[in-house]
Amino acid sequence: MTTPTSAPLLAHASLDAALAWRDGERITVGHFLADVHRVAAMMPPGGHLLNVCTDRYRFTVGLVAGLLAGKVNLLPSTHTPEAVRQLVAFAPDAFCLTDTLPCDIDLPQFRYPALAAAVHTGEIPRVAPDRLVAWVFTSGSTGVPLPHGKTWGALVRNIAAEADRLGLSSDCPHTLVGTVPPQHMYGFESTVLLALLSGGAFWAGRPFYPADIAAALDVVPHPRVLVSTPFHLRTLLAADLPLPRADLVVSATAPLSGNLAVEIESRLQCPLVEIYGCTETGQTATRRTAHTAEWRLFRDVCLTLEDGRVWAHGGHVEQRIALSDVIEPTADERFLLHGRSADLVNIAGKRSSLGYLNHQLNAIPGVQDGSFFTPDDEPADGVARLSAVVVAPGLDRADLLQALRERIDPLFLPRPLVFVDALPRNATGKLTRSALEDLQRRGGTGE
């Protein structure tokens, strides 16, 4: 089979098709491409672009403008000063595209311009499959971010497999409402690229609070897809608001419990599909969590076990990648996920995982949010212990510990257990151990 020399930037049927929605306004492909070409022409010198636009539409314009202007997008996991310094070491010619002022990122800055309404009337651009679109970064063992290149051809194959699995196509364009930022790999794939390459559209904002999520869903047309995380979905259900019907819910970033998946499907009156993947490979598998614990791989993606590690390869995964998860193959294309290797804990010869313990903690009635973690400090008696931070305003310590004893081995009970008003989750609902340790230091003591 001959490899194509280029692939279309968009899968939309016409320039008048919807690409985005903002405040009830429908933004067409023609409008989008007009903005793309003008922003591309204004971009400063430099071969690398850090796009921190908070508006999803402006982020997407900047992404494609950089692509057409010959620049490579930088997608680090965080924008802390140290992360930016490491980016500069990797790409000294990088500049920052922002739609927020003031912007404290220490790079030459290009502010997203004010653009008069215009419509592109030419051809839809095409991109060579070997064109490097982005560098995405994961933390290495030394703390120095490790770059992973994403080419246009691999991204196109990835999104085609996702669209096929989710049942999305240009024949029936969907509108995506994402609670995750476009800079995160999941948001990048499943809100931005999925809209571009499946002929759909996206909501330009990033609703966070339950009322904002419900309002965004209510204003966009059917069929509509909520692209979210377990944290946002739990919060949405806990708010007990009237929820508009969706046509699909997509979840990623952490495993979702079967009970929560059933409740989400009931409240939003649609299927929920979880996505499994990592920054290195992109998304690689899905499951209908309300029906099964098994994950099913995307087409042509394979897992092999070598020297005690699981490797992903094939399909859109261009190089063999060692996964950081504990995986149990159950059939040719299916597997069970038992947590991350780094999350495994061993106390007095008994094993568990932080993922399992967190699931049991958050399943207790009255617990709004909570997380176990392993402190860095070595205990004086040499016996490893776990800590936990929890949001449970209606429970006291004794009742919560008793509920935990009924669910987990007493060896894994947290000492201390700290009650707080809220957990410092980031935009994708994740927590850092340093933030949890800081809460523990400031939050008091427990059993």
Side-chain angles (χ1 to χ4, degrees), residues 197-443:
L197 296 172
S198 72
F202 56 78
W203 179 247
R206 183 167 64 86
F208 179 83
Y209 296 106
D212 296 332
I213 296 171
L217 279 174
D218 197 40
V219 78
V220 300
H222 287 282
R224 53 199 181 196
V225 182
L226 176 61
V227 181
S228 194
T229 72
F231 169 71
H232 292 110
L233 293 171
R234 280 197 303 269
T235 305
L236 181 64
L237 294 186
D240 202 26
L241 297 171
L243 297 178
R245 181 179 67 84
D247 296 279
L248 178 67
V249 176
V250 178
S251 179
T253 72
L256 196 67
S257 72
N259 290 339
L260 182 57
V262 169
E263 187 177 358
I264 292 164
E265 292 199 351
S266 174
R267 291 285 302 279
L268 288 162
Q269 305 172 59
C270 67
L272 178 144
V273 175
E274 266 193 285
I275 291 178
Y276 169 78
C278 61
T279 300
E280 297 93 326
T281 64
Q283 52 208 350
T284 54
T286 61
R287 68 177 177 181
R288 179 83 179 273
T289 314
H291 292 179
T292 180
E294 285 187 316
W295 298 86
R296 184 159 65 99
L297 291 167
F298 282 2
R299 62 187 182 214
D300 299 327
V301 176
C302 300
L303 299 181
T304 56
L305 181 63
E306 297 178 22
D307 300 324
R309 303 192 70 180
V310 175
W311 296 75
H313 54 93
H316 64 273
V317 183
E318 295 185 297
Q319 298 177 347
R320 295 173 74 255
I321 301 292
L323 303 180
S324 299
D325 294 307
V326 180
I327 286 173
E328 176 191 349
T330 56
D332 288 345
E333 298 179 351
R334 297 179 186 273
F335 63 90
L336 294 172
L337 178 65
H338 297 299
R340 297 186 65 80
S341 301
D343 285 350
L344 295 179
V345 290
N346 187 327
I347 298 179
K350 291 195 174 182
R351 291 186 177 184
S352 188
S353 73
L354 295 179
Y356 173 80
L357 297 171
N358 287 338
H359 169 71
Q360 295 300 330
L361 175 61
N362 284 279
I364 295 172
V367 173
Q368 297 178 2
D369 198 6
S371 181
F372 280 80
F373 65 100
T374 53
D376 265 341
D377 295 338
E378 183 73 21
D381 58 8
V383 179
R385 291 191 177 94
L386 295 174
S387 299
V389 179
V390 65
V391 181
L395 298 177
D396 63 26
R397 191 180 316 280
D399 289 341
L400 183 51
L401 285 171
Q402 180 56 40
L404 275 173
R405 284 190 183 93
E406 296 175 4
R407 291 173 171 271
I408 65 176
D409 190 289
L411 283 170
F412 299 111
L413 287 174
R415 299 179 179 86
L417 171 65
V418 178
F419 285 70
V420 295
D421 293 331
L423 297 189
R425 294 186 179 273
N426 65 16
T428 59
K430 294 186 177 182
L431 295 162
T432 64
R433 185 167 64 177
S434 61
L436 291 171
E437 288 180 330
D438 184 56
L439 280 179
Q440 178 184 311
R441 285 191 294 269
R442 294 188 286 110

